[in-house]
Amino acid sequence: MTYDIAIIGAGMAGASLAAAVGSRARVLLLEGEAQPGYHATGRSAAFWSETYGGPGVQPLTTASGAALHDGGYLDPLGALHIGRGEDHGAVDALLAEFAGTPIALSRVDPHAWVPGLRDSWTLGVSEPSCSYIDVARLHADYLAKTRRAGAVLHNGARLASAERYAGCWRILTEDGREFGARVIVDAAGAWADTVATRCGVRPLGIRPYRRTMVQVQTDPAAPADLPFIIDVSGRFYFKPEAGGRLWLSPHDEHPVAAHDVAAEDIDVAIAIDRFERAVDWRVLRVERRWAGLRSFAPDRLPIYGMAEGGFFWFAGQGGFGIQTAPAAAAVGAALLLGEAPPDGIDVERYAPDRFAT
């Protein structure tokens, strides 16, 4: 059987796009791991923030908000960007970047929001729209919608190579399976450039980076109404979780080869040190640690669109692929099916030909 579209990767990107096109095309999903969402999707920090990713990503995040809210995937959280005296420029830049957007940002006293915040942290910007996001249910619902539409998912089907003959791709997996499709979609996240190379397509310089997360128990326990706390200069963030726990990150980005990453001791230690320099709480114990892969194009914007010979890019979604999933899938589906893109999103800024040499 020859499919209309073969999507490489069944994480949030591939699953959301398959759900968007599955009822209007014959779709094949090829997932290299034993289960979808093993790498970036399954290791998300699980928040939705309209400022995260910068102004180039904000239209996608904002456009996704209604679908996520209406689907019951978001719960109130709120965010507080904090800074010290030397961070005035970063606070001014944050407010300037999102002036004129629908995002409500306001200067506040951070000590009124964070008990135990150390005296040097005098700057605060409130972002009330920030929310928790139910990543696991969102991903599962996309996969379920994909199956109902008749799409076929193969797990453990890592791409070995693909060649194009007479307008059709002949796809081979590492375990010897063979498939045919008119279009290949590269939704392989950190492996996006690898997939392109195996298809004989010029890679675009998408680089994977390791991000560390730690679940900690603190004294005092995190207040239930604590917002998501973000260092405005990008040195850490933390957010409350059930049972008074915290999820904490040093906001690190270590360039790595695409692989099954794990948290390293030094990054866990850095996260705790930065946290304890911001508040007078003590970390009693580290209950869990993990790391995930974030993959960025050279300009840190996602890549959506057709390249040469029926090869479609749907990659480079950094750490914001989950919070932008509904809008990104709508953009990808429109471009694949020749339909009008969603209102308010300039799809040209995400086109792969911006990297043409």
Side-chain angles (χ1 to χ4, degrees):
M1 176 180 179
T2 298
Y3 294 88
D4 296 315
I5 300 168
I7 300 175
I8 311 300
M12 190 66 77
S16 61
L17 184 58
V21 300
S23 63
R24 293 171 287 171
R26 292 172 297 176
V27 176
L28 170 69
L29 264 172
L30 296 179
E31 169 55 48
E33 302 295 344
Q35 64 184 47
Y38 178 73
H39 292 285
T41 298
R43 308 180 195 192
S44 164
F47 64 84
W48 180 86
S49 165
E50 291 176 280
T51 62
Y52 202 66
V57 174
Q58 174 267 319
L60 295 165
T61 305
T62 299
S64 296
L68 293 171
H69 181 272
D70 293 347
Y73 301 108
L74 299 181
D75 285 311
L77 174 60
L80 177 68
H81 304 259
I82 63 173
R84 294 176 290 197
E86 65 266 28
D87 298 319
H88 273 289
V91 168
D92 292 343
L94 173 68
L95 294 170
E97 280 181 333
F98 296 99
T101 73
I103 308 171
L105 298 175
S106 58
R107 296 180 189 266
V108 297
D109 174 7
H111 293 274
W113 296 61
V114 186
L117 186 66
R118 297 193 185 277
D119 291 344
S120 58
W121 295 85
T122 57
L123 307 177
V125 175
S126 169
E127 182 186 340
S129 62
C130 182
S131 302
Y132 292 103
I133 182 168
D134 191 338
V135 177
R137 187 166 71 85
L138 179 63
H139 186 227
D141 285 354
Y142 278 136
L143 290 173
K145 183 177 179 180
T146 296
R147 288 192 295 270
R148 290 194 301 269
V152 176
L153 168 64
H154 290 280
N155 294 320
R158 191 175 298 277
L159 178 73
S161 65
E163 295 179 289
R164 192 163 178 83
Y165 298 99
C168 184
W169 287 98
R170 177 174 175 261
I171 302 167
L172 299 177
T173 62
E174 290 183 353
D175 61 357
R177 284 177 279 183
E178 181 176 336
F179 304 94
R182 293 183 175 85
V183 173
I184 283 180
V185 173
D186 186 350
W191 284 263
D193 268 7
T194 299
V195 164
T197 299
R198 293 184 180 186
C199 294
V201 173
R202 180 178 65 88
L204 297 182
I206 296 174
R207 293 289 307 276
Y209 297 84
R210 186 181 71 242
R211 167 63 53 87
T212 305
M213 292 295 299
V214 188
Q215 178 176 301
V216 296
Q217 184 180 359
T218 63
D219 179 24
D225 60 351
L226 185 74
F228 177 44
I229 307 297
I230 312 164
D231 172 18
V232 73
S233 292
R235 291 163 291 211
F236 61 84
Y237 57 77
F238 57 90
K239 72 184 182 80
E241 289 294 320
R245 271 56 176 178
L246 279 176
W247 279 14
L248 167 65
S249 173
H251 212 157
D252 52 335
E253 285 187 1
H254 300 285
V256 294
H259 70 290
D260 187 6
V261 292
E264 299 194 359
D265 289 346
I266 183 62
D267 297 314
V268 173
I270 289 171
I272 293 172
D273 178 67
R274 292 176 180 175
F275 171 74
E276 291 184 336
R277 289 174 183 269
V279 294
D280 64 8
W281 312 356
R282 291 187 306 118
V283 172
L284 298 178
R285 62 183 56 87
V286 174
E287 297 183 325
R288 191 159 64 97
R289 61 176 71 188
W290 68 99
L293 290 172
R294 303 150 54 83
S295 49
F296 288 98
D299 61 1
R300 300 181 74 86
L301 293 179
I303 307 172
Y304 309 134
M306 193 70 73
E308 55 205 86
F311 185 92
F312 189 92
W313 288 95
F314 198 67
Q317 299 187 68
F320 41 79
I322 292 168
Q323 68 176 34
T324 61
V331 167
L335 294 173
L336 278 168
L337 302 175
E339 300 173 349
D343 291 339
I345 297 178
D346 177 10
V347 298
E348 288 301 318
R349 75 190 309 179
Y350 310 123
D353 60 10
R354 69 187 192 268
F355 299 112
T357 56

